[in-house]
Amino acid sequence: MTNSWRSFRPKPTDASALFAACMARNRKAFAVGFSDTASHALAVALYVAHARQDAEGLSQVERLAVEQ
């Protein structure tokens, strides 16, 4: 069995869902005052957008980070 990090990469549709879920989790956590949780969720969304080379996703993360 090979230990390849590529095998852990989500499929594009999975990554889209993960990005959306992290952005939603960020908003919910921020709304109820869990700023650390919100920032961690945003960091995961940033990582996913970067890994997918998703310029629009990166812009969304940047805008939300500035707002919060």
Side-chain angles (χ1 to χ4, degrees), residues 23-66:
M23 294 294 280
R25 181 70 58 196
N26 165 271
R27 288 186 207 96
K28 288 178 184 178
F30 188 79
V32 296
F34 287 97
S35 58
D36 286 345
T37 302
S39 66
H40 286 289
L42 199 58
V44 174
L46 177 66
Y47 176 80
V48 172
H50 181 267
R52 296 179 62 213
Q53 299 179 356
D54 176 9
E56 177 57 32
L58 292 169
S59 293
Q60 289 178 19
V61 170
E62 181 181 18
R63 281 191 300 271
L64 196 52
V66 169

Side-chain angles (χ1 to χ4, degrees), residues 2-3 7 10-12 15 18 21-22 24 37-38 44 51 55 61 64:
T2 61
N3 187 5
S7 64
K11 295 178 183 174
L18 178 59
C22 288
T37 302
V44 174
V61 170
L64 196 52

